[in-house]
Amino acid sequence: MAFRFLDGIDRNPDFSDQLIKLIPKTDIHCHLDGSLRLETLVDLAKEQNIPLPSHDLDELRKSVFKEFYTDLNDYLVPFQYSSAVLRNKDALERVAFEFAEDCYSEGVRYFEVRFAPHLNAVPGELSTEDVIIAVNKGLKRATDTFNGIDDDVHKGPAPEYMYEIIVCGMRFFNEHFSPFFKNFCEIFKHEDKKKMFGIASLQLAKLAVHMRDTMNMPIVALDIAGSEASYPAINHAEAFRYAHENHMNKTIHAGEAYGPESIFQAVTACYAERIGHGLNMFDTTFFHPETPVVDKQKYVDGIIRFIANRRICVEVCLTSNYQTAPKLREDVSAHPLKKMLKEKLSVCLNTDNRMVSRTTMCDEIRLAVDIFKLSREELWEIISNGFESSFMPGSYANKLEYLRKMKLFYNKIVDMCTAPEKC
């Protein structure tokens, strides 16, 4: 990653690139369809005769997967190409395998990958269940491979590699989004649009619970993604209530392209246990023009206190935020991560979209330690938040044991890298 807006930022001498690569990491906010290898996107497009603006990688980086985007909606444009090539089992399994391989190869020990199966399903050819099964097959194959060849896992000092799945509903969709949504919109063409969005998310929530409970599928949470500003989370409240009542975890994109009111809906009406991005949570100017809120600072303070007291984790994605918020590129240290840490919120670092944002977890950590001058202890707190706030299934005791092993392994790597010649 080499973005122009990062020119002039001094590297944090406490962190070599090798140290950052070796320490155990999480990535619990990452989209499968935004994290293909660019070469794979081109290969799959050629195989399936799907048109791309270009087959040249450099040209695609200039015109589609850009250094900067004007806003979130512009950032979402590249997904039309990645979704188009992910509508058969082999492609889904391949991309899932490569995604897990890329994560594990850079020291990510645990990840939760999310995707919207309705963007991939093809009525009569590829069911929503088939999509999830194919993705899981690729993830499991890669995970078994890495656990099988890692000596540190076999000998005990390192925790095993693990993954889980988060399914995403869409805040907004129309008949052009996918073959599934074309069919869905035809069936519900007389339904109120807001209700239609909610119906799709509710059906996805029911499918996720069913596959988890009857097929042992590692689905741990429900999310909604997509255009935020005009499509509030409240439209999907019934889906999240169903997930809540069936012990399915909830994470919601909120405060990325809208303000504190969006976050309030997520954590109250939709029971969110984690917030995706939360970029505008402190912004008292980012309210609906007809908001009933009078004292906006008091409103924001209340939300922050609510999130802090309940340890609702904020899934921070630095690179994608810098790409979609031009004001942040003028002063990279103005990212609210600094204030989140000051307010002692639970925050973790994530990639969001490896391909669309041209990033890795090592890149995200490099950004954080350089821009915010983090110490090794402060970085561990952020990394441990990712593990602690994960939706890892099983007993809480087992989760704590996994975290204990992670801390020991982190300390081992840091100690090993204290001597410059070793790391």
mmCIF file of all heavy atoms in Angstrom, residues 3 31-38 41 60-61 64-69 71-83 319-320 323-324 351-360 364:
data_model
loop_
_atom_site.group_PDB
_atom_site.id
_atom_site.type_symbol
_atom_site.label_atom_id
_atom_site.label_comp_id
_atom_site.label_asym_id
_atom_site.label_seq_id
_atom_site.Cartn_x
_atom_site.Cartn_y
_atom_site.Cartn_z
ATOM 1 N N PHE A 3 -0.214 5.106 -0.607
ATOM 2 C CA PHE A 3 -1.144 6.165 -0.967
ATOM 3 C C PHE A 3 -0.472 7.526 -0.799
ATOM 4 O O PHE A 3 0.267 7.761 0.147
ATOM 5 C CB PHE A 3 -2.400 6.104 -0.094
ATOM 6 C CG PHE A 3 -3.212 4.857 -0.303
ATOM 7 C CD1 PHE A 3 -3.639 4.097 0.777
ATOM 8 C CD2 PHE A 3 -3.563 4.460 -1.580
ATOM 9 C CE1 PHE A 3 -4.397 2.957 0.584
ATOM 10 C CE2 PHE A 3 -4.325 3.319 -1.785
ATOM 11 C CZ PHE A 3 -4.743 2.562 -0.708
ATOM 12 N N HIS A 31 -15.000 -8.190 3.842
ATOM 13 C CA HIS A 31 -15.996 -8.632 2.866
ATOM 14 C C HIS A 31 -15.350 -9.538 1.829
ATOM 15 O O HIS A 31 -14.375 -9.143 1.182
ATOM 16 C CB HIS A 31 -16.614 -7.433 2.165
ATOM 17 C CG HIS A 31 -17.401 -6.541 3.057
ATOM 18 N ND1 HIS A 31 -18.767 -6.639 3.197
ATOM 19 C CD2 HIS A 31 -17.017 -5.525 3.875
ATOM 20 C CE1 HIS A 31 -19.198 -5.721 4.051
ATOM 21 N NE2 HIS A 31 -18.144 -5.031 4.480
ATOM 22 N N LEU A 32 -15.909 -10.708 1.650
ATOM 23 C CA LEU A 32 -15.343 -11.653 0.693
ATOM 24 C C LEU A 32 -15.344 -11.084 -0.721
ATOM 25 O O LEU A 32 -14.350 -11.190 -1.447
ATOM 26 C CB LEU A 32 -16.132 -12.965 0.732
ATOM 27 C CG LEU A 32 -15.615 -14.083 -0.176
ATOM 28 C CD1 LEU A 32 -14.243 -14.542 0.278
ATOM 29 C CD2 LEU A 32 -16.593 -15.257 -0.213
ATOM 30 N N ASP A 33 -16.469 -10.469 -1.120
ATOM 31 C CA ASP A 33 -16.562 -9.998 -2.499
ATOM 32 C C ASP A 33 -15.770 -8.723 -2.743
ATOM 33 O O ASP A 33 -15.660 -8.279 -3.894
ATOM 34 C CB ASP A 33 -18.026 -9.804 -2.921
ATOM 35 C CG ASP A 33 -18.819 -8.938 -1.957
ATOM 36 O OD1 ASP A 33 -18.340 -8.686 -0.840
ATOM 37 O OD2 ASP A 33 -19.954 -8.539 -2.312
ATOM 38 N N GLY A 34 -15.185 -8.150 -1.696
ATOM 39 C CA GLY A 34 -14.294 -7.020 -1.876
ATOM 40 C C GLY A 34 -12.851 -7.387 -1.668
ATOM 41 O O GLY A 34 -11.974 -6.508 -1.650
ATOM 42 N N SER A 35 -12.593 -8.699 -1.521
ATOM 43 C CA SER A 35 -11.251 -9.148 -1.137
ATOM 44 C C SER A 35 -10.702 -10.224 -2.048
ATOM 45 O O SER A 35 -9.870 -11.033 -1.640
ATOM 46 C CB SER A 35 -11.279 -9.647 0.318
ATOM 47 O OG SER A 35 -11.667 -8.611 1.192
ATOM 48 N N LEU A 36 -11.152 -10.269 -3.294
ATOM 49 C CA LEU A 36 -10.561 -11.189 -4.256
ATOM 50 C C LEU A 36 -9.144 -10.737 -4.584
ATOM 51 O O LEU A 36 -8.801 -9.567 -4.450
ATOM 52 C CB LEU A 36 -11.365 -11.214 -5.564
ATOM 53 C CG LEU A 36 -12.729 -11.872 -5.620
ATOM 54 C CD1 LEU A 36 -13.779 -11.049 -4.900
ATOM 55 C CD2 LEU A 36 -13.142 -12.058 -7.091
ATOM 56 N N ARG A 37 -8.327 -11.656 -5.039
ATOM 57 C CA ARG A 37 -7.084 -11.262 -5.698
ATOM 58 C C ARG A 37 -7.473 -10.686 -7.050
ATOM 59 O O ARG A 37 -8.309 -11.255 -7.764
ATOM 60 C CB ARG A 37 -6.164 -12.469 -5.879
ATOM 61 C CG ARG A 37 -5.697 -13.087 -4.562
ATOM 62 C CD ARG A 37 -4.951 -14.387 -4.785
ATOM 63 N NE ARG A 37 -4.569 -14.998 -3.523
ATOM 64 C CZ ARG A 37 -4.086 -16.235 -3.397
ATOM 65 N NH1 ARG A 37 -3.915 -16.987 -4.495
ATOM 66 N NH2 ARG A 37 -3.772 -16.723 -2.209
ATOM 67 N N LEU A 38 -6.891 -9.580 -7.403
ATOM 68 C CA LEU A 38 -7.268 -8.925 -8.656
ATOM 69 C C LEU A 38 -7.026 -9.849 -9.852
ATOM 70 O O LEU A 38 -7.819 -9.889 -10.804
ATOM 71 C CB LEU A 38 -6.490 -7.618 -8.815
ATOM 72 C CG LEU A 38 -6.972 -6.663 -9.919
ATOM 73 C CD1 LEU A 38 -8.452 -6.350 -9.767
ATOM 74 C CD2 LEU A 38 -6.153 -5.379 -9.906
ATOM 75 N N LEU A 41 -9.950 -12.164 -10.128
ATOM 76 C CA LEU A 41 -11.112 -11.514 -10.735
ATOM 77 C C LEU A 41 -11.015 -11.564 -12.253
ATOM 78 O O LEU A 41 -12.002 -11.907 -12.937
ATOM 79 C CB LEU A 41 -11.196 -10.060 -10.261
ATOM 80 C CG LEU A 41 -12.275 -9.203 -10.928
ATOM 81 C CD1 LEU A 41 -13.663 -9.676 -10.537
ATOM 82 C CD2 LEU A 41 -12.096 -7.729 -10.589
ATOM 83 N N LEU A 60 -7.108 -1.543 -14.374
ATOM 84 C CA LEU A 60 -8.197 -1.755 -13.414
ATOM 85 C C LEU A 60 -7.938 -0.970 -12.131
ATOM 86 O O LEU A 60 -8.868 -0.429 -11.517
ATOM 87 C CB LEU A 60 -8.339 -3.246 -13.096
ATOM 88 C CG LEU A 60 -9.008 -4.096 -14.172
ATOM 89 C CD1 LEU A 60 -8.931 -5.577 -13.805
ATOM 90 C CD2 LEU A 60 -10.467 -3.672 -14.365
ATOM 91 N N ARG A 61 -6.672 -0.905 -11.721
ATOM 92 C CA ARG A 61 -6.343 -0.151 -10.502
ATOM 93 C C ARG A 61 -6.565 1.351 -10.709
ATOM 94 O O ARG A 61 -6.863 2.072 -9.769
ATOM 95 C CB ARG A 61 -4.900 -0.431 -10.084
ATOM 96 C CG ARG A 61 -4.671 -1.854 -9.587
ATOM 97 C CD ARG A 61 -3.272 -2.033 -9.014
ATOM 98 N NE ARG A 61 -3.042 -3.415 -8.617
ATOM 99 C CZ ARG A 61 -2.373 -4.307 -9.340
ATOM 100 N NH1 ARG A 61 -1.839 -3.952 -10.502
ATOM 101 N NH2 ARG A 61 -2.200 -5.542 -8.902
ATOM 102 N N VAL A 64 -11.015 1.413 -11.744
ATOM 103 C CA VAL A 64 -12.060 0.759 -10.943
ATOM 104 C C VAL A 64 -11.659 0.654 -9.467
ATOM 105 O O VAL A 64 -12.332 1.208 -8.596
ATOM 106 C CB VAL A 64 -12.382 -0.653 -11.488
ATOM 107 C CG1 VAL A 64 -13.487 -1.306 -10.658
ATOM 108 C CG2 VAL A 64 -12.791 -0.575 -12.947
ATOM 109 N N PHE A 65 -10.563 -0.019 -9.210
ATOM 110 C CA PHE A 65 -10.106 -0.227 -7.833
ATOM 111 C C PHE A 65 -9.092 0.862 -7.503
ATOM 112 O O PHE A 65 -7.890 0.650 -7.485
ATOM 113 C CB PHE A 65 -9.526 -1.632 -7.688
ATOM 114 C CG PHE A 65 -10.501 -2.696 -8.116
ATOM 115 C CD1 PHE A 65 -10.437 -3.238 -9.390
ATOM 116 C CD2 PHE A 65 -11.520 -3.096 -7.270
ATOM 117 C CE1 PHE A 65 -11.357 -4.197 -9.802
ATOM 118 C CE2 PHE A 65 -12.447 -4.055 -7.670
ATOM 119 C CZ PHE A 65 -12.367 -4.606 -8.943
ATOM 120 N N LYS A 66 -9.625 2.029 -7.226
ATOM 121 C CA LYS A 66 -8.844 3.264 -7.249
ATOM 122 C C LYS A 66 -8.155 3.570 -5.919
ATOM 123 O O LYS A 66 -8.424 2.945 -4.896
ATOM 124 C CB LYS A 66 -9.777 4.421 -7.624
ATOM 125 C CG LYS A 66 -10.429 4.246 -8.993
ATOM 126 C CD LYS A 66 -11.385 5.376 -9.322
ATOM 127 C CE LYS A 66 -12.647 5.360 -8.491
ATOM 128 N NZ LYS A 66 -13.639 6.368 -8.928
ATOM 129 N N GLU A 67 -7.280 4.553 -5.994
ATOM 130 C CA GLU A 67 -6.618 5.018 -4.771
ATOM 131 C C GLU A 67 -7.594 5.798 -3.894
ATOM 132 O O GLU A 67 -7.607 5.650 -2.670
ATOM 133 C CB GLU A 67 -5.426 5.907 -5.124
ATOM 134 C CG GLU A 67 -4.642 6.381 -3.908
ATOM 135 C CD GLU A 67 -3.400 7.177 -4.285
ATOM 136 O OE1 GLU A 67 -3.161 7.377 -5.499
ATOM 137 O OE2 GLU A 67 -2.671 7.595 -3.374
ATOM 138 N N PHE A 68 -8.448 6.609 -4.520
ATOM 139 C CA PHE A 68 -9.437 7.405 -3.792
ATOM 140 C C PHE A 68 -10.815 7.200 -4.399
ATOM 141 O O PHE A 68 -10.944 6.937 -5.600
ATOM 142 C CB PHE A 68 -9.108 8.905 -3.861
ATOM 143 C CG PHE A 68 -7.729 9.266 -3.407
ATOM 144 C CD1 PHE A 68 -6.905 10.046 -4.200
ATOM 145 C CD2 PHE A 68 -7.247 8.832 -2.184
ATOM 146 C CE1 PHE A 68 -5.629 10.395 -3.793
ATOM 147 C CE2 PHE A 68 -5.974 9.169 -1.766
ATOM 148 C CZ PHE A 68 -5.166 9.952 -2.563
ATOM 149 N N TYR A 69 -11.845 7.370 -3.575
ATOM 150 C CA TYR A 69 -13.232 7.348 -4.033
ATOM 151 C C TYR A 69 -13.905 8.626 -3.530
ATOM 152 O O TYR A 69 -13.529 9.178 -2.494
ATOM 153 C CB TYR A 69 -13.957 6.108 -3.506
ATOM 154 C CG TYR A 69 -13.334 4.804 -3.950
ATOM 155 C CD1 TYR A 69 -12.295 4.218 -3.221
ATOM 156 C CD2 TYR A 69 -13.770 4.164 -5.101
ATOM 157 C CE1 TYR A 69 -11.709 3.030 -3.637
ATOM 158 C CE2 TYR A 69 -13.187 2.972 -5.530
ATOM 159 C CZ TYR A 69 -12.154 2.405 -4.784
ATOM 160 O OH TYR A 69 -11.577 1.233 -5.201
ATOM 161 N N ASP A 71 -16.978 9.016 -2.420
ATOM 162 C CA ASP A 71 -17.789 8.759 -1.235
ATOM 163 C C ASP A 71 -18.062 7.259 -1.164
ATOM 164 O O ASP A 71 -17.538 6.478 -1.970
ATOM 165 C CB ASP A 71 -19.096 9.559 -1.264
ATOM 166 C CG ASP A 71 -19.909 9.337 -2.541
ATOM 167 O OD1 ASP A 71 -19.755 8.270 -3.177
ATOM 168 O OD2 ASP A 71 -20.695 10.227 -2.907
ATOM 169 N N LEU A 72 -18.901 6.842 -0.216
ATOM 170 C CA LEU A 72 -19.175 5.417 -0.050
ATOM 171 C C LEU A 72 -19.841 4.821 -1.283
ATOM 172 O O LEU A 72 -19.502 3.697 -1.696
ATOM 173 C CB LEU A 72 -20.061 5.190 1.186
ATOM 174 C CG LEU A 72 -20.479 3.734 1.446
ATOM 175 C CD1 LEU A 72 -19.263 2.838 1.659
ATOM 176 C CD2 LEU A 72 -21.422 3.651 2.641
ATOM 177 N N ASN A 73 -20.783 5.528 -1.884
ATOM 178 C CA ASN A 73 -21.470 4.985 -3.051
ATOM 179 C C ASN A 73 -20.496 4.737 -4.202
ATOM 180 O O ASN A 73 -20.619 3.746 -4.923
ATOM 181 C CB ASN A 73 -22.594 5.927 -3.482
ATOM 182 C CG ASN A 73 -23.772 5.886 -2.527
ATOM 183 O OD1 ASN A 73 -24.000 4.894 -1.853
ATOM 184 N ND2 ASN A 73 -24.524 6.977 -2.457
ATOM 185 N N ASP A 74 -19.528 5.623 -4.371
ATOM 186 C CA ASP A 74 -18.495 5.432 -5.390
ATOM 187 C C ASP A 74 -17.633 4.213 -5.043
ATOM 188 O O ASP A 74 -17.248 3.430 -5.920
ATOM 189 C CB ASP A 74 -17.635 6.693 -5.483
ATOM 190 C CG ASP A 74 -16.615 6.642 -6.616
ATOM 191 O OD1 ASP A 74 -16.906 6.020 -7.649
ATOM 192 O OD2 ASP A 74 -15.529 7.227 -6.461
ATOM 193 N N TYR A 75 -17.368 4.044 -3.771
ATOM 194 C CA TYR A 75 -16.571 2.915 -3.279
ATOM 195 C C TYR A 75 -17.262 1.582 -3.559
ATOM 196 O O TYR A 75 -16.603 0.546 -3.728
ATOM 197 C CB TYR A 75 -16.350 3.105 -1.784
ATOM 198 C CG TYR A 75 -15.484 2.077 -1.091
ATOM 199 C CD1 TYR A 75 -14.095 2.153 -1.132
ATOM 200 C CD2 TYR A 75 -16.053 1.038 -0.358
ATOM 201 C CE1 TYR A 75 -13.297 1.237 -0.469
ATOM 202 C CE2 TYR A 75 -15.262 0.107 0.312
ATOM 203 C CZ TYR A 75 -13.890 0.215 0.256
ATOM 204 O OH TYR A 75 -13.106 -0.703 0.921
ATOM 205 N N LEU A 76 -18.603 1.601 -3.605
ATOM 206 C CA LEU A 76 -19.352 0.359 -3.788
ATOM 207 C C LEU A 76 -19.447 -0.078 -5.252
ATOM 208 O O LEU A 76 -19.811 -1.215 -5.536
ATOM 209 C CB LEU A 76 -20.768 0.513 -3.218
ATOM 210 C CG LEU A 76 -20.857 0.741 -1.698
ATOM 211 C CD1 LEU A 76 -22.304 0.989 -1.279
ATOM 212 C CD2 LEU A 76 -20.282 -0.444 -0.937
ATOM 213 N N VAL A 77 -19.077 0.801 -6.176
ATOM 214 C CA VAL A 77 -19.186 0.490 -7.607
ATOM 215 C C VAL A 77 -18.399 -0.765 -8.006
ATOM 216 O O VAL A 77 -18.911 -1.608 -8.763
ATOM 217 C CB VAL A 77 -18.757 1.700 -8.467
ATOM 218 C CG1 VAL A 77 -18.602 1.310 -9.935
ATOM 219 C CG2 VAL A 77 -19.766 2.840 -8.315
ATOM 220 N N PRO A 78 -17.155 -0.957 -7.549
ATOM 221 C CA PRO A 78 -16.393 -2.141 -7.969
ATOM 222 C C PRO A 78 -17.048 -3.479 -7.625
ATOM 223 O O PRO A 78 -16.742 -4.496 -8.264
ATOM 224 C CB PRO A 78 -15.061 -1.983 -7.210
ATOM 225 C CG PRO A 78 -14.938 -0.525 -6.957
ATOM 226 C CD PRO A 78 -16.325 -0.041 -6.728
ATOM 227 N N PHE A 79 -17.954 -3.478 -6.670
ATOM 228 C CA PHE A 79 -18.568 -4.737 -6.260
ATOM 229 C C PHE A 79 -19.459 -5.338 -7.344
ATOM 230 O O PHE A 79 -19.745 -6.538 -7.311
ATOM 231 C CB PHE A 79 -19.360 -4.546 -4.959
ATOM 232 C CG PHE A 79 -18.489 -4.334 -3.755
ATOM 233 C CD1 PHE A 79 -18.031 -3.069 -3.417
ATOM 234 C CD2 PHE A 79 -18.099 -5.405 -2.960
ATOM 235 C CE1 PHE A 79 -17.217 -2.867 -2.321
ATOM 236 C CE2 PHE A 79 -17.282 -5.210 -1.860
ATOM 237 C CZ PHE A 79 -16.841 -3.944 -1.533
ATOM 238 N N GLN A 80 -19.890 -4.532 -8.298
ATOM 239 C CA GLN A 80 -20.711 -5.091 -9.374
ATOM 240 C C GLN A 80 -19.905 -6.095 -10.186
ATOM 241 O O GLN A 80 -20.467 -7.067 -10.722
ATOM 242 C CB GLN A 80 -21.235 -3.976 -10.277
ATOM 243 C CG GLN A 80 -20.166 -3.201 -11.026
ATOM 244 C CD GLN A 80 -20.727 -2.072 -11.848
ATOM 245 O OE1 GLN A 80 -21.496 -2.293 -12.779
ATOM 246 N NE2 GLN A 80 -20.348 -0.836 -11.510
ATOM 247 N N TYR A 81 -18.590 -5.880 -10.258
ATOM 248 C CA TYR A 81 -17.739 -6.791 -11.030
ATOM 249 C C TYR A 81 -17.400 -8.044 -10.228
ATOM 250 O O TYR A 81 -17.439 -9.160 -10.760
ATOM 251 C CB TYR A 81 -16.464 -6.064 -11.464
ATOM 252 C CG TYR A 81 -16.738 -4.828 -12.279
ATOM 253 C CD1 TYR A 81 -16.480 -3.551 -11.769
ATOM 254 C CD2 TYR A 81 -17.285 -4.924 -13.557
ATOM 255 C CE1 TYR A 81 -16.741 -2.410 -12.512
ATOM 256 C CE2 TYR A 81 -17.556 -3.785 -14.308
ATOM 257 C CZ TYR A 81 -17.286 -2.534 -13.778
ATOM 258 O OH TYR A 81 -17.568 -1.409 -14.507
ATOM 259 N N SER A 82 -17.063 -7.862 -8.963
ATOM 260 C CA SER A 82 -16.714 -9.032 -8.155
ATOM 261 C C SER A 82 -17.928 -9.925 -7.917
ATOM 262 O O SER A 82 -17.821 -11.157 -7.968
ATOM 263 C CB SER A 82 -16.095 -8.599 -6.818
ATOM 264 O OG SER A 82 -16.963 -7.746 -6.098
ATOM 265 N N SER A 83 -19.090 -9.329 -7.689
ATOM 266 C CA SER A 83 -20.291 -10.142 -7.487
ATOM 267 C C SER A 83 -20.634 -10.942 -8.738
ATOM 268 O O SER A 83 -21.077 -12.094 -8.654
ATOM 269 C CB SER A 83 -21.478 -9.249 -7.107
ATOM 270 O OG SER A 83 -21.293 -8.655 -5.842
ATOM 271 N N THR A 319 -8.038 2.311 6.113
ATOM 272 C CA THR A 319 -7.794 2.602 4.700
ATOM 273 C C THR A 319 -9.075 2.947 3.968
ATOM 274 O O THR A 319 -9.144 3.940 3.237
ATOM 275 C CB THR A 319 -7.094 1.419 4.013
ATOM 276 O OG1 THR A 319 -5.830 1.189 4.628
ATOM 277 C CG2 THR A 319 -6.872 1.701 2.536
ATOM 278 N N SER A 320 -10.115 2.146 4.129
ATOM 279 C CA SER A 320 -11.353 2.425 3.399
ATOM 280 C C SER A 320 -11.966 3.744 3.860
ATOM 281 O O SER A 320 -12.569 4.465 3.060
ATOM 282 C CB SER A 320 -12.355 1.281 3.535
ATOM 283 O OG SER A 320 -12.892 1.203 4.830
ATOM 284 N N GLN A 323 -10.142 6.436 2.124
ATOM 285 C CA GLN A 323 -10.475 6.456 0.703
ATOM 286 C C GLN A 323 -11.821 7.115 0.417
ATOM 287 O O GLN A 323 -12.015 7.700 -0.644
ATOM 288 C CB GLN A 323 -10.490 5.030 0.148
ATOM 289 C CG GLN A 323 -9.117 4.397 0.011
ATOM 290 C CD GLN A 323 -9.212 2.983 -0.511
ATOM 291 O OE1 GLN A 323 -9.934 2.151 0.027
ATOM 292 N NE2 GLN A 323 -8.474 2.701 -1.573
ATOM 293 N N THR A 324 -12.775 6.971 1.339
ATOM 294 C CA THR A 324 -14.132 7.454 1.076
ATOM 295 C C THR A 324 -14.453 8.785 1.761
ATOM 296 O O THR A 324 -15.518 9.350 1.513
ATOM 297 C CB THR A 324 -15.167 6.411 1.531
ATOM 298 O OG1 THR A 324 -15.012 6.156 2.935
ATOM 299 C CG2 THR A 324 -15.001 5.114 0.763
ATOM 300 N N THR A 351 -9.560 -4.938 7.691
ATOM 301 C CA THR A 351 -9.237 -4.573 6.310
ATOM 302 C C THR A 351 -10.421 -4.012 5.541
ATOM 303 O O THR A 351 -10.249 -3.229 4.616
ATOM 304 C CB THR A 351 -8.712 -5.788 5.527
ATOM 305 O OG1 THR A 351 -9.693 -6.831 5.560
ATOM 306 C CG2 THR A 351 -7.396 -6.282 6.088
ATOM 307 N N ASP A 352 -11.624 -4.442 5.860
ATOM 308 C CA ASP A 352 -12.845 -4.106 5.127
ATOM 309 C C ASP A 352 -12.857 -4.822 3.781
ATOM 310 O O ASP A 352 -13.615 -5.763 3.576
ATOM 311 C CB ASP A 352 -13.003 -2.594 4.956
ATOM 312 C CG ASP A 352 -14.431 -2.186 4.624
ATOM 313 O OD1 ASP A 352 -15.337 -3.034 4.764
ATOM 314 O OD2 ASP A 352 -14.645 -1.020 4.255
ATOM 315 N N ASN A 353 -12.013 -4.374 2.839
ATOM 316 C CA ASN A 353 -11.974 -4.981 1.499
ATOM 317 C C ASN A 353 -10.552 -4.968 0.966
ATOM 318 O O ASN A 353 -10.030 -3.907 0.596
ATOM 319 C CB ASN A 353 -12.886 -4.199 0.549
ATOM 320 C CG ASN A 353 -14.334 -4.246 0.971
ATOM 321 O OD1 ASN A 353 -15.015 -5.247 0.802
ATOM 322 N ND2 ASN A 353 -14.815 -3.139 1.541
ATOM 323 N N ARG A 354 -9.939 -6.117 0.921
ATOM 324 C CA ARG A 354 -8.538 -6.200 0.536
ATOM 325 C C ARG A 354 -8.291 -5.725 -0.892
ATOM 326 O O ARG A 354 -7.315 -5.017 -1.160
ATOM 327 C CB ARG A 354 -8.036 -7.650 0.695
ATOM 328 C CG ARG A 354 -7.880 -8.083 2.140
ATOM 329 C CD ARG A 354 -7.624 -9.585 2.263
ATOM 330 N NE ARG A 354 -7.250 -9.900 3.642
ATOM 331 C CZ ARG A 354 -6.006 -10.028 4.066
ATOM 332 N NH1 ARG A 354 -5.000 -9.901 3.217
ATOM 333 N NH2 ARG A 354 -5.752 -10.296 5.323
ATOM 334 N N MET A 355 -9.163 -6.115 -1.809
ATOM 335 C CA MET A 355 -8.960 -5.730 -3.205
ATOM 336 C C MET A 355 -9.405 -4.289 -3.447
ATOM 337 O O MET A 355 -8.655 -3.488 -4.028
ATOM 338 C CB MET A 355 -9.743 -6.672 -4.132
ATOM 339 C CG MET A 355 -9.690 -6.287 -5.607
ATOM 340 S SD MET A 355 -10.549 -7.464 -6.688
ATOM 341 C CE MET A 355 -12.256 -7.214 -6.169
ATOM 342 N N VAL A 356 -10.588 -3.942 -3.016
ATOM 343 C CA VAL A 356 -11.126 -2.610 -3.284
ATOM 344 C C VAL A 356 -10.287 -1.527 -2.606
ATOM 345 O O VAL A 356 -10.095 -0.442 -3.145
ATOM 346 C CB VAL A 356 -12.597 -2.519 -2.849
ATOM 347 C CG1 VAL A 356 -13.149 -1.124 -3.078
ATOM 348 C CG2 VAL A 356 -13.445 -3.547 -3.596
ATOM 349 N N SER A 357 -9.760 -1.838 -1.418
ATOM 350 C CA SER A 357 -8.951 -0.859 -0.693
ATOM 351 C C SER A 357 -7.455 -1.087 -0.831
ATOM 352 O O SER A 357 -6.665 -0.363 -0.213
ATOM 353 C CB SER A 357 -9.327 -0.860 0.804
ATOM 354 O OG SER A 357 -10.554 -0.213 1.004
ATOM 355 N N ARG A 358 -7.047 -2.094 -1.606
ATOM 356 C CA ARG A 358 -5.617 -2.386 -1.822
ATOM 357 C C ARG A 358 -4.878 -2.508 -0.486
ATOM 358 O O ARG A 358 -3.836 -1.886 -0.268
ATOM 359 C CB ARG A 358 -4.956 -1.273 -2.620
ATOM 360 C CG ARG A 358 -5.628 -0.837 -3.892
ATOM 361 C CD ARG A 358 -4.758 0.230 -4.525
ATOM 362 N NE ARG A 358 -5.352 0.854 -5.688
ATOM 363 C CZ ARG A 358 -4.721 1.760 -6.431
ATOM 364 N NH1 ARG A 358 -3.489 2.125 -6.120
ATOM 365 N NH2 ARG A 358 -5.310 2.303 -7.475
ATOM 366 N N THR A 359 -5.420 -3.305 0.420
ATOM 367 C CA THR A 359 -4.839 -3.344 1.757
ATOM 368 C C THR A 359 -4.726 -4.763 2.286
ATOM 369 O O THR A 359 -5.247 -5.713 1.693
ATOM 370 C CB THR A 359 -5.686 -2.483 2.723
ATOM 371 O OG1 THR A 359 -4.972 -2.282 3.941
ATOM 372 C CG2 THR A 359 -7.037 -3.140 3.031
ATOM 373 N N THR A 360 -4.024 -4.882 3.404
ATOM 374 C CA THR A 360 -3.900 -6.127 4.151
ATOM 375 C C THR A 360 -4.004 -5.774 5.629
ATOM 376 O O THR A 360 -3.984 -4.600 6.000
ATOM 377 C CB THR A 360 -2.538 -6.801 3.894
ATOM 378 O OG1 THR A 360 -1.497 -5.965 4.451
ATOM 379 C CG2 THR A 360 -2.284 -7.026 2.406
ATOM 380 N N GLU A 364 -3.006 -2.254 7.642
ATOM 381 C CA GLU A 364 -3.867 -1.529 8.579
ATOM 382 C C GLU A 364 -3.146 -1.266 9.904
ATOM 383 O O GLU A 364 -3.260 -0.181 10.484
ATOM 384 C CB GLU A 364 -5.166 -2.315 8.822
ATOM 385 C CG GLU A 364 -6.032 -2.479 7.592
ATOM 386 C CD GLU A 364 -6.416 -1.146 6.957
ATOM 387 O OE1 GLU A 364 -6.957 -0.276 7.664
ATOM 388 O OE2 GLU A 364 -6.168 -0.982 5.749
#
